[in-house]
Amino acid sequence: MIDYQSLRFDYKRHADQDAPTPARHPVVVVGAGPVGLTLAIDLALREIPVVLLDNDNTLSSGSRAICFAKRTLEVFDRLGCGDRMVGKGVSWHVGKVFFHDEQVYSFDLLPEPGHERPAFINLQQYYVEGYLVERAAALPLIDLRWNNKVTGIEQNDGGAVLTVETPEGVYKLQAGYVAACDGSRSNLRQMLGLEAKGRTFRDRFLIADITMDAQLPTERRFWFDPPFHPGQSVLLHKQADGMWRVDFQLGWDADPVEERKPENITPRVRALLDSIGFEGVQFTIGWASVYTFACQRMERFRHGRVLFAGDSAHGVSPFGARGANSGVQDADNLAWKLAAVLKGGAPDALLDSYASEREFAADENIRNSTRATDFITPKSEVSRLFRDAVLELTKRHAFARTLVNSGRLSVPAVLRDSPLNTPDTDSFEGAMVPGAAAADAPVVRADGSSGWLLRECHVAQFTALVFGQGEAAERSLQALMAFDFPLHVVRVKAATSEGELATQRYDALPGTVYLLRPDQHVCARWRQPTAANIRAAIDRALAKG
């Protein structure tokens, strides 16, 4: 088994370093973390060459981001590495909330059947990065350069010029567009004189990875004010390789250096395990970190030819698993738009919609993360009394459970107000509104084999879902065929129980058509479209006119 934390990637001198003038590339991605790798792979699959620069030659140390949501796994499926992630990760969907030493309620994040992917997997970030690096290495359009640190940037009308520092000296690169995926301490953000603004929380938390042989259910456990850690909160998650993640709230006055010492972590973990019936279980401590977090974002994610994504653009508290998931969804949003612009299929203005859509999503994530943090860490006696009263009520009253916030877990933002959406002219029910990420469902393929709806959506094209059979469905197909555009058409028939489930989720009648963007977000839907309807919707989704 590969030890991804000990991998060291070779620096290699590139011909660009010896070019008499700076070599020009359509896209340079800065930062080979989960977001930069996702973006580079997505662009390469859309036939866009990418230079990917990273300032060192290692993957992340410690588990760091571990909770990867269903929507993120669906993105990884498109990129060709979702099966590997799910196969290694720990799948889960149940969470339990405790107050003192009593479970007050539980919740199920995916209570209905008919989804290929689980609500979440827990997988250490170094595995995610390692699998993405290996996928990138298999794609000839990705030029991944280790130990290439960007130290300067100048923008001009045709793009940007980057100054890159390597072990063998400095060279320059020209880029049509630059994607800044270089993390929360983004050098590119600083070099452009920009900043992320928001709120820093006066509290400290200890993250510890521990390895032990304990048979606990695969679920999220969150304690408020437990007897083994009084006055604070604790979170417990299972990871791959028999590893467990424990988060201990410490309080603002805690000494980060002292709290990271094994002799201070051990009694905290011992008390937790003893309290849940594992008195004799031995454990070892791996990685540990003490952090203070902030909810903040840049005012704008686009600055000329530079587009910010992931932690370089926005940051949230770890409760709710919104950091890495939102970053991957940034890349998912940006890749198809960059590809469309670079191929001449859309105006540069399409990239403005990346900024507006993902700024909206960041605000939603920040709002949820701030509320969770305020609930978990009340800063006044009145706030604490309110929180504890709510937790007491949850034992008997379902309404109180909606008020509990131990980290509302990541779901994709619904981009209802996106300028790329075509407003409904027909009546629909359900969640699949324009701007929503398409829901998965079982389907039967044309050859009679079973499959999954999102797997049938082509990575590089707009997709039209045509529901049902009969005359109405045939009329919709004729309208699609009359439109001269490389459109991928998926038939969804309701003759089977699988087809009925998809039909229910999309509130579809025979002839209903849903138009999906290349990132699998709904951008238009009709009961009976015309070729003119479809043309206008695609033009709108490409920011034409």
Side-chain angles (χ1 to χ4, degrees):
M1 184 174 68
I2 298 173
D3 181 1
Y4 285 98
Q5 290 192 89
S6 67
L7 285 180
R8 299 294 181 269
F9 299 94
D10 293 336
Y11 159 79
K12 296 180 181 178
R13 187 175 183 85
H14 194 277
D16 286 355
Q17 294 170 248
D18 300 314
T21 59
R24 182 175 177 84
H25 299 274
V27 180
V28 174
V29 177
V30 181
V35 179
L37 285 161
T38 296
L39 178 59
I41 293 168
D42 206 341
L43 284 166
L45 292 174
R46 299 181 194 281
E47 301 179 340
I48 300 297
V50 185
V51 174
L52 177 55
L53 306 177
D54 197 77
N55 64 354
D56 64 15
N57 66 336
T58 64
L59 305 178
S60 64
S61 61
S63 60
R64 299 189 182 275
I66 65 165
C67 293
F68 293 89
K70 180 177 182 291
R71 178 60 199 152
T72 300
L73 298 176
E74 291 163 354
V75 174
F76 289 154
D77 282 337
R78 279 200 305 102
L79 305 186
C81 48
D83 288 341
R84 197 175 181 194
M85 305 280 191
V86 174
K88 181 63 177 179
V90 175
S91 298
W92 66 277
H93 59 99
V94 172
K96 293 181 178 177
V97 177
F98 298 80
F99 184 38
H100 301 318
D101 58 355
E102 182 180 7
Q103 179 182 323
V104 291
Y105 76 98
S106 66
F107 56 86
D108 191 334
L109 294 167
L110 198 64
E112 60 180 11
H115 294 272
E116 182 183 12
R117 290 313 183 197
F120 281 87
I121 64 166
N122 288 348
L123 183 63
Q124 294 92 314
Q125 183 173 322
Y126 47 81
Y127 279 120
V128 172
E129 291 181 5
Y131 296 166
L132 290 171
V133 166
E134 289 164 3
R135 179 68 175 125
L139 298 172
L141 290 181
I142 296 177
D143 179 2
L144 175 49
R145 305 181 189 180
W146 301 102
N147 282 330
N148 276 241
K149 180 180 180 180
V150 176
T151 58
I153 181 170
E154 296 178 5
Q155 294 202 64
N156 52 48
D157 292 341
V161 178
L162 300 173
T163 302
V164 185
E165 183 182 283
T166 77
E168 295 181 331
V170 173
Y171 71 106
K172 291 185 182 291
L173 279 178
Q174 289 191 12
Y177 293 93
V178 176
C181 306
D182 52 342
S184 59
R185 296 182 177 88
S186 170
N187 284 333
L188 276 170
R189 191 177 63 218
Q190 294 175 28
M191 284 184 274
L192 290 173
L194 304 170
E195 59 181 340
K197 297 180 180 179
R199 177 180 169 191
T200 299
F201 292 86
R202 290 174 59 84
D203 213 325
R204 301 191 197 279
F205 290 80
L206 166 71
I207 296 178
D209 284 344
I210 62 171
T211 302
M212 62 181 179
D213 184 16
Q215 298 304 313
L216 278 169
T218 303
E219 60 195 19
R220 179 186 196 259
R221 293 189 176 196
F222 195 100
W223 287 267
F224 290 96
D225 194 11
F228 59 84
H229 193 55
Q232 309 285 15
S233 63
V234 178
L235 176 64
L236 178 65
H237 266 295
K238 184 178 181 180
Q239 305 179 68
D241 301 334
M243 185 176 286
W244 297 77
R245 157 72 66 80
V246 192
D247 287 50
F248 292 99
Q249 182 186 356
L250 299 175
W252 182 243
D253 296 330
D255 183 331
V257 175
E258 287 297 314
E259 294 292 347
R260 279 198 302 270
K261 294 179 178 179
E263 60 267 29
N264 292 322
I265 298 173
T266 296
R268 296 192 189 280
V269 175
R270 181 77 273 158
L272 163 62
L273 295 180
D274 289 352
S275 75
I276 59 176
F278 289 91
E279 292 88 346
V281 171
Q282 299 301 305
F283 61 88
T284 57
I285 300 168
W287 174 75
S289 178
V290 173
Y291 63 91
T292 299
F293 51 82
C295 288
Q296 57 189 18
R297 74 167 175 89
M298 297 176 66
E299 183 178 357
R300 291 182 292 117
F301 292 179
R302 182 182 186 186
H303 290 267
R305 294 300 185 105
V306 183
L307 301 116
F308 289 82
D311 286 351
S312 69
H314 50 77
V316 292
S317 71
F319 298 108
R322 294 174 179 271
N325 287 296
S326 62
V328 168
Q329 290 160 34
D330 288 348
D332 182 47
N333 187 294
L334 180 55
W336 75 271
K337 295 175 180 178
L338 267 174
V341 171
L342 288 165
K343 289 182 175 182
D348 178 84
L350 180 61
L351 298 177
D352 293 334
S353 74
Y354 161 73
S356 62
E357 288 182 349
R358 295 313 298 170
E359 287 159 9
F360 168 82
D363 286 341
E364 183 176 281
N365 284 322
I366 288 170
R367 183 164 58 252
N368 279 284
S369 292
T370 298
R371 289 171 179 172
T373 306
D374 285 339
F375 192 87
I376 293 166
T377 63
K379 294 300 183 289
S380 71
E381 188 57 30
V382 170
S383 297
R384 183 176 292 278
L385 287 171
F386 169 78
R387 186 199 71 179
D388 292 355
V390 166
L391 289 167
E392 286 288 350
L393 286 169
T394 59
K395 301 175 191 177
R396 299 178 300 278
H397 302 289
F399 83 88
R401 295 166 194 168
T402 64
L403 302 175
V404 175
N405 198 334
S406 61
R408 300 278 163 80
L409 285 146
S410 174
V411 293
V414 179
L415 308 171
R416 289 178 180 270
D417 297 325
S418 170
L420 307 188
N421 296 340
T422 295
D424 284 334
T425 55
D426 301 313
S427 178
F428 284 89
E429 299 291 334
M432 289 295 96
V433 299
D440 204 8
V443 292
V444 177
R445 300 187 184 95
D447 63 3
S449 62
S450 297
W452 294 96
L453 182 59
L454 293 184
R455 295 272 192 173
E456 302 301 308
C457 298
H458 199 282
V459 67
Q461 293 175 303
F462 282 80
T463 298
L465 307 179
V466 183
F467 288 84
Q469 303 176 80
E471 184 179 342
E474 292 305 316
R475 285 199 304 271
S476 291
L477 280 171
Q478 290 172 11
L480 292 165
M481 298 309 173
F483 176 51
D484 184 18
F485 187 84
L487 191 61
H488 182 60
V489 177
V490 176
R491 295 290 303 272
V492 185
K493 301 177 181 179
T496 63
S497 58
E498 291 91 344
E500 289 175 359
L501 190 54
T503 297
Q504 293 168 10
R505 286 182 182 156
Y506 287 82
D507 184 31
L509 301 172
T512 295
V513 172
Y514 275 75
L515 184 65
L516 307 185
R517 305 179 341 182
D519 62 357
Q520 299 177 340
H521 277 69
V522 176
C523 60
R525 57 184 177 173
W526 308 270
R527 293 299 183 191
Q528 193 77 67
T530 65
N533 294 150
I534 300 160
R535 176 179 294 277
I538 290 180
D539 282 350
R540 182 168 184 148
L542 290 170
K544 293 182 177 180

